[in-house]
Amino acid sequence: MYQMTPPQPIQPMAPQPEGPRRLSVAQIALIAAVVGFVIWYLVTALTPEAERFGTIGAGTRGTRYTGDCLLIRDETPYDAEGLTSIHYRAEEGAMVYRGTPICDVYSSGFSTREMITLQDYRDQIKEYQLKLLRAEIATDARMEKLESDVMTRAREVRAIVGGARGNMNNLESLLATAIQARQSYLKQKYSEDQRMTRLYDDEQSQMQRISSWTKQYAAMAEGIVSFYSDGYEYGLTVNNYDQFTPAQVRSMLNGNKPEQTARQKGKTTIYRMVREGYWYVLMMVRDSNWNPEEGRVYDLKLESFRDTKVRARVVSFTRSGGELVVRLAVQDQVKPILYIRTCSGELGDSVSTLTVPSRAIYYQDNMAGVVVVDGQYQTFIPVNILETRDGVTFISAIQQGVLAEGQTVRLF
């Protein structure tokens, strides 16, 4: 006999853990394509588009030589001994002509007390003139006109001092003329007054006394006047600059002034007269192996407070003790180097050329050239490549006259 048992519940079976799923080849390729597209988009979107066109420019190329320069002007110093003070009449750096007053020099016998006495006489004259004018009863039309001229000029000068536009030098001259005209009329008007006459005589006597200690200097010829001196003007001149050796030039560049004569020692330089025309340069070239060509003209750039570029001709040169001094003559304005004695310089034989961006060079049938753009037309022009540096190529057209500065070229 079978024993019956109730049915037992069926226990579900736990699922077996699955292994990691791998990407298919197609999925990997799709992801790589998406990443590549994103990178390409970012690069193209953020990188500025390269220039498509450029411009033909002008340039120079050639050999450069650098060194220290000692400048020599065609100048004459004027000096005096035993002086007390100097009163300058001409303006610093002004062009003067023969007979132009330069300055007044007061000798050692002169005392400032003499000027104080002169001013005292003039103050007495002024006070007495005012007293006489206040005592006038009748109207003096001539005097009123002269007084009005003085006041008008004085107001004009004051306006310029306050910022108005105008020529101060001209107005000061006009004001001085107006004052002199008024003073001359007053002297004539009161010529019969004994006290006034005595005051004028005292003033004149004092002026003569001062003039006995005063020497007036005037320009002997045309030139630029300067009241600044460095002491080199006596021993270094346009007549002897070519006689100094490299060692002597180096010494002067180091601040050692050329020897002065016994006659010049103990005197004070009061001004110097600089003439236009030629000035000269002694250049200690750093490349002592260079052989300059006498008579050849080079570009000379003087590096100072303001760079000056001139054309300089080689007069001569001397090589000694491992140093090379080149003597150069310059025919140019002297004003830019009026206050320069030493500076660094660059000498070169520059050749004018055309320049283009290096990307403008295009090769057609193994021939270098540029593509000139003129409106909708593009023309290939063969060129000679002279030099390439810093992204710029120096060129010259094989056929002269077909390329010029300012033309547009295509970039590749």
Side-chain angles (χ1 to χ4, degrees):
M1 213 175 147
Y2 294 97
Q3 187 176 356
M4 301 295 290
T5 59
Q8 298 295 322
I10 301 174
Q11 297 294 332
M13 295 180 64
Q16 297 294 327
E18 297 182 1
R21 299 181 61 184
R22 296 182 178 180
L23 297 176
S24 65
V25 175
Q27 290 174 320
I28 295 175
L30 178 61
I31 293 173
V34 171
V35 173
F37 174 78
V38 171
I39 295 175
W40 171 84
Y41 177 78
L42 292 175
V43 171
T44 55
L46 298 179
T47 303
E49 184 179 357
E51 295 289 339
R52 297 177 56 196
F53 303 99
T55 304
I56 297 178
T60 56
R61 58 186 300 271
T63 307
R64 293 284 186 272
Y65 303 97
T66 59
D68 300 318
C69 298
L70 184 67
L71 277 57
I72 304 96
R73 294 170 288 267
D74 186 3
E75 57 192 348
T76 301
Y78 292 85
D79 49 36
E81 58 183 348
L83 58 88
T84 300
S85 60
I86 305 174
H87 173 65
Y88 297 108
R89 293 174 173 266
E91 293 185 10
E92 168 65 27
M95 175 64 73
V96 296
Y97 304 90
R98 184 178 179 84
T100 302
I102 301 297
C103 62
D104 298 330
V105 177
Y106 299 95
S107 65
S108 57
F110 173 77
S111 171
T112 55
R113 292 193 301 270
E114 305 296 339
M115 295 298 297
I116 295 175
T117 301
L118 176 62
Q119 188 59 46
D120 181 61
Y121 286 141
R122 289 174 173 174
D123 290 340
Q124 293 182 46
I125 292 173
K126 178 181 178 181
E127 291 175 1
Y128 191 58
Q129 286 176 343
L130 291 174
K131 180 179 179 180
L132 294 176
L133 288 172
R134 284 193 293 266
E136 290 282 342
I137 299 176
T139 301
D140 188 337
R142 173 64 176 166
M143 186 63 204
E144 290 183 349
K145 174 64 169 57
L146 292 172
E147 187 69 25
S148 176
D149 291 343
V150 172
M151 296 305 297
T152 299
R153 298 305 182 189
R155 284 193 294 268
E156 291 173 348
V157 171
R158 185 183 303 171
I160 292 182
V161 172
R165 300 182 62 182
N167 191 315
M168 177 63 81
N169 291 333
N170 289 343
L171 285 180
E172 287 182 341
S173 177
L174 292 173
L175 176 60
T177 301
I179 293 174
Q180 182 62 37
R182 181 184 64 179
Q183 196 65 21
S184 297
Y185 178 72
L186 286 172
K187 189 173 184 179
Q188 176 186 356
K189 181 179 177 70
Y190 300 112
S191 59
E192 302 298 327
D193 189 288
Q194 293 185 359
R195 181 182 175 186
M196 180 64 72
T197 301
R198 187 175 65 254
L199 288 173
Y200 278 130
D201 289 342
D202 291 341
E203 179 194 30
Q204 185 64 31
S205 297
Q206 186 63 20
M207 291 175 62
Q208 291 177 352
R209 180 180 176 85
I210 292 175
S211 65
S212 65
W213 288 301
T214 306
K215 182 178 181 180
Q216 297 181 346
Y217 285 81
M220 303 298 293
E222 178 180 338
I224 299 174
V225 64
S226 175
F227 304 111
Y228 295 94
S229 169
D230 59 9
Y232 284 78
E233 299 90 353
Y234 295 95
L236 182 62
T237 69
V238 295
N239 297 320
N240 70 353
Y241 79 97
D242 57 347
Q243 301 173 14
F244 293 96
T245 65
Q248 291 173 317
V249 175
R250 177 61 66 190
S251 177
M252 287 187 284
L253 285 169
N254 291 335
N256 299 313
K257 300 176 183 178
E259 187 68 23
Q260 296 185 5
T261 64
R263 184 183 63 84
Q264 293 157 344
K265 291 182 178 179
K267 294 187 177 182
T268 302
T269 303
I270 53 179
Y271 72 94
R272 59 190 171 107
M273 188 67 64
V274 186
R275 286 167 289 275
E276 292 281 9
Y278 279 95
W279 47 276
Y280 301 88
V281 180
L282 296 176
M283 184 173 181
M284 298 293 298
V285 180
R286 296 189 177 96
D287 184 0
S288 60
N289 295 321
W290 176 45
N291 290 313
E293 181 181 343
E294 294 186 4
R296 185 169 179 178
V297 179
Y298 295 87
D299 287 329
L300 174 63
K301 182 180 179 182
L302 300 176
E303 299 174 352
S304 54
F305 297 104
R306 290 185 299 176
D307 290 349
T308 301
K309 188 175 182 179
V310 293
R311 299 284 285 171
R313 175 176 55 84
V314 176
V315 178
S316 62
F317 65 94
T318 300
R319 183 180 286 105
S320 175
E323 291 194 296
L324 170 65
V325 60
V326 181
R327 304 175 186 92
L328 304 165
V330 178
Q331 187 177 14
D332 209 307
Q333 293 183 349
V334 73
K335 203 70 176 286
I337 56 108
L338 189 61
Y339 307 106
I340 304 173
R341 180 63 69 181
T342 62
C343 64
S344 58
E346 182 182 75
L347 194 65
D349 50 348
S350 299
V351 178
S352 298
T353 64
L354 297 176
T355 62
V356 294
S358 297
R359 290 175 49 211
I361 301 299
Y362 180 76
Y363 287 88
Q364 180 174 298
D365 296 332
N366 294 324
M367 180 177 291
V370 295
V371 177
V372 176
V373 179
D374 185 7
Q376 297 182 352
Y377 298 96
Q378 298 186 10
T379 307
F380 177 79
I381 306 296
V383 299
N384 293 317
I385 297 178
L386 306 176
E387 183 183 357
T388 299
R389 65 171 182 263
D390 300 329
V392 176
T393 300
F394 294 78
I395 62 171
S396 64
I398 295 178
Q399 182 180 352
Q400 297 298 319
V402 295
L403 294 180
E405 181 183 358
Q407 287 180 309
T408 301
V409 292
R410 185 177 172 184
L411 303 181
F412 300 91

